[in-house]
Amino acid sequence: MKFLFLTLLSICFFLPAKANTIFYLTKIPNLKVYHLKTSNDIKYLTAEKPFKVGIVQNNVQCGVASDEEVEKSFPIIKANFDKYEKNFLNKINLKYVVICKNLKVSDINTAGVPNHNVKTLIIDIGFDTNHFERSMHHELFHMVDDSFDNLFSKKEWEKFNTPLFKYAECSTCTNNLDLTLIKDTRGFLTEYSMSTASEDMAEIFSFLMTDKKRLSKIVMDDSIISKKISFLKNEILKIDENFKFD
Amino acid sequence: MIEKVKQTTSEKLLLALFIVLGLVAIYIFFILPQKCLFIKDYNPKVLSFEKPKNIVVLNIDCGNIIIELYPENSPKSVERFKMLISLGKYNGVAFHRVIKNVLVQSGDLEFGKKDNYNYLYIGTGKSGFGTLRSELNEKIEFVTGTVGMARTTNLDTEDSQFFILLQDAPLFKGEYTPIGKVIYGLEVLDTITDDRRREYVLRPDFINSFSLFEK
């Protein structure tokens, strides 16, 4: 009996998931349409079932957010992505936002996973509520960076920091993971900013999109942040001259 | 005098069992393989069309699928499609990619021909006429029956392959070139052989003929 049960179970597991038409665009299984009518043409999708994706060993996984959770968070998510115009989103290759819960990359919790090749940004609805809004812009910046890596030179960026400072090899190669705004910034807005140049850029961009007022106060005392902001703004305006910050 | 022997209950049960088994066997061996049994075959000659020049008829084993093309929306793609149809290029080409209740795809003229089917390269074949620019349209909805030009993951790579949707696909709008819509015979498409385990069919069904409508 036990053998029969295990056999049936293994058949269920090893049969490939039935793909739907969303899969052909996003390359993510088990998604359904949540909201399509938006001014900037972003299509919001949710997970019907947990999914695993990834080029190597399906290392990106995410679970299902309940209808109530999605309903509660969706106005916040939409309000934040509505800050971007369709033209800009087309340039950075963002069309699909996947809303799910407990997003992990190689078993490490993460706020979002961008993939400009399939025009998709996966976001974790259950991510740290204090930084949830900002995290969406942070992840979106990675799509900007991935789409225009020639504009956001890491070498140029590193020159803004003090000569003795060195970023880590990767964002998860360090314990600098705190996303709280540092009181005495000294060139970095958060602890996480110190992990890599790319994360540093994404952190500054996220503050630019959510808390420009506070940032304008910080730049009065922090020349490094000021230079970093100018650099980011200049490069982003090269992508879209009509881009509006905040 | 011959004595009448009454059937016992077990004999009656056995007889009933044989009858049931016989019926099941008839169903399995004769009715089930007849996948076209209750499928309506549409004769385009007895139907009337508003724009007959935009009508094309796809014939497969179980009948005709009648498609109306959208030359106003996707002029170049429809032009290519009609040209390939008029040259008979789609005749004998496989429905190589079939996902039950989702879509069917055909039109690989290089590797999908009945007499030259290539399992290794199926789906990657070209027509020899070059690729087309995507003709995306933000107005046309991709609903069940919509016919679209297939492409690689990149835009502007449309050639001869096409797909027909068996379910609504709202996300396809603005992503794929719509070239027409099935107006009769959608149920015929449900009879196309699929493979439950994979998208690419091992023993595919083939197009018998694909022709421009002529009264």
Side-chain angles (χ1 to χ4, degrees):
Chain A
M1 192 65 191
K2 200 176 172 184
F3 175 73
L4 185 69
F5 173 72
L6 287 171
T7 311
L8 285 171
L9 199 69
S10 62
I11 289 169
C12 293
F13 270 104
F14 289 111
L15 276 180
K18 219 176 180 184
N20 58 21
T21 52
I22 301 172
F23 175 81
Y24 299 112
L25 296 166
T26 61
K27 305 296 173 210
I28 302 172
N30 308 335
L31 299 183
K32 62 178 179 182
V33 170
Y34 182 73
H35 188 89
L36 295 181
K37 287 180 181 167
T38 54
S39 57
N40 56 12
D41 215 19
I42 284 191
K43 318 286 185 197
Y44 293 94
L45 312 168
T46 52
E48 251 180 335
K49 293 176 192 169
F51 62 80
K52 280 186 176 183
V53 286
I55 298 165
V56 184
Q57 296 170 338
N58 282 351
N59 61 340
V60 177
Q61 60 183 83
C62 203
V64 181
S66 70
D67 291 347
E68 292 76 30
E69 286 171 317
V70 177
E71 212 168 292
K72 195 180 158 195
S73 302
F74 183 68
I76 303 166
I77 297 168
K78 187 173 177 295
N80 279 283
F81 284 111
D82 277 353
K83 291 180 179 182
Y84 302 97
E85 298 285 336
K86 186 180 171 180
N87 186 39
F88 177 73
L89 295 174
N90 279 343
K91 285 178 178 174
I92 65 163
N93 254 355
L94 175 58
K95 194 161 187 181
Y96 310 108
V97 170
V98 176
I99 302 167
C100 58
K101 199 178 174 184
N102 295 327
L103 178 62
K104 289 177 181 175
V105 179
S106 303
D107 283 330
I108 300 169
N109 282 315
T110 184
V113 175
N115 186 345
H116 74 288
N117 292 320
V118 284
K119 303 179 183 177
T120 304
L121 173 59
I122 308 171
I123 54 167
D124 184 351
I125 207 169
F127 187 73
D128 189 345
T129 46
N130 294 325
H131 309 292
F132 179 58
E133 288 192 57
R134 202 165 60 73
S135 70
M136 286 182 262
H137 301 281
H138 175 110
E139 298 304 335
L140 184 138
F141 178 79
H142 286 308
M143 292 196 86
V144 179
D145 191 14
D146 292 343
S147 303
F148 294 91
D149 61 343
N150 55 323
L151 290 182
F152 301 93
S153 162
K154 310 299 175 286
K155 278 189 179 172
E156 288 299 310
W157 185 266
E158 282 172 18
K159 287 178 190 168
F160 297 133
N161 296 323
T162 53
L164 290 176
F165 179 81
K166 266 198 170 182
Y167 290 110
E169 289 295 316
C170 69
S171 61
T172 50
C173 309
T174 160
N175 291 324
N176 295 337
L177 298 171
D178 194 353
L179 297 171
T180 315
L181 181 68
I182 297 170
K183 280 184 184 170
D184 184 11
T185 53
R186 292 185 192 182
F188 301 97
L189 291 174
T190 66
E191 210 180 67
Y192 193 49
S193 296
M194 298 176 208
S195 58
T196 65
S198 176
E199 299 301 345
D200 193 9
M201 289 180 191
E203 280 294 85
I204 291 183
F205 178 80
S206 68
F207 274 98
L208 269 173
M209 295 306 295
T210 55
D211 206 350
K212 205 177 166 188
K213 277 183 186 170
R214 202 185 312 190
L215 216 49
S216 56
K217 282 180 192 168
I218 292 170
V219 294
M220 300 208 322
D221 301 319
D222 193 326
S223 62
I224 297 176
I225 299 269
S226 176
K227 283 177 198 165
K228 286 179 176 176
I229 290 172
S230 301
F231 175 86
L232 270 189
K233 279 187 171 180
N234 279 339
E235 301 311 291
I236 282 171
L237 289 172
K238 282 180 191 169
I239 299 169
D240 182 0
E241 56 182 13
N242 298 315
F243 188 87
K244 291 183 187 79
F245 294 90
D246 205 1
Chain B
M1 200 173 150
I2 300 165
E3 198 183 338
K4 227 177 181 180
V5 181
K6 267 194 173 180
Q7 265 185 329
T8 63
T9 313
S10 54
E11 282 172 335
K12 281 179 187 172
L13 280 173
L14 202 63
L15 183 68
L17 183 70
F18 277 130
I19 291 169
V20 170
L21 279 175
L23 290 172
V24 169
I26 288 168
Y27 181 75
I28 290 173
F29 293 107
F30 297 102
I31 297 178
L32 210 58
Q34 305 296 318
K35 59 181 182 179
C36 310
L37 203 59
F38 300 107
I39 304 296
K40 188 176 175 181
D41 187 13
Y42 293 90
N43 180 0
K45 298 208 168 169
V46 298
L47 297 167
S48 61
F49 304 105
E50 234 176 82
K51 295 174 181 172
K53 278 189 176 175
N54 295 343
I55 301 297
V56 288
V57 183
L58 171 65
N59 179 267
I60 60 171
D61 285 347
C62 288
N64 290 324
I65 298 123
I66 299 168
I67 298 166
E68 183 179 355
L69 299 174
Y70 301 149
E72 298 87 5
N73 299 306
S74 317
K76 292 286 174 196
S77 306
V78 169
E79 187 187 24
R80 164 71 59 89
F81 199 55
K82 284 174 94 170
M83 183 262 283
L84 293 172
I85 290 171
S86 62
L87 291 173
K89 294 278 184 187
Y90 287 120
N91 300 346
V93 173
F95 282 96
H96 63 271
R97 189 167 174 233
V98 182
I99 304 137
K100 198 166 180 62
N101 301 324
V102 178
L103 59 80
V104 294
Q105 187 172 326
S106 178
D108 185 336
L109 307 184
E110 194 176 0
F111 302 119
K113 285 272 187 187
K114 201 172 192 172
D115 52 0
N116 188 28
Y117 197 81
N118 190 321
Y119 289 100
L120 207 57
Y121 297 109
I122 185 69
T124 64
K126 294 174 176 60
S127 70
F129 293 96
T131 53
L132 292 164
R133 286 189 77 84
S134 301
E135 293 177 294
L136 307 181
N137 193 307
E138 289 295 338
K139 285 175 191 163
I140 293 182
E141 299 290 340
F142 277 77
V143 293
T144 307
T146 299
V147 185
M149 290 300 276
R151 58 167 172 82
T152 67
T153 49
N154 300 319
L155 291 172
D156 305 331
T157 53
E158 287 83 349
D159 188 351
S160 59
Q161 289 189 47
F162 64 94
F163 62 85
I164 306 175
L165 286 177
L166 305 179
Q167 68 168 210
D168 294 354
L171 295 189
F172 279 19
K173 185 168 75 171
E175 284 288 337
Y176 290 96
T177 303
I179 52 169
K181 191 169 185 257
V182 174
I183 50 173
Y184 294 100
L186 202 58
E187 61 274 31
V188 181
L189 292 168
D190 292 333
T191 65
I192 293 173
T193 305
D194 67 284
D195 189 328
R196 215 165 59 85
R197 295 186 180 203
R198 52 187 79 83
E199 289 178 21
Y200 289 86
V201 187
L202 210 57
R203 290 183 186 83
D205 283 355
F206 293 87
I207 294 171
N208 292 334
S209 68
F210 206 169
S211 54
L212 304 174
F213 172 67
E214 281 170 25
K215 196 79 183 175

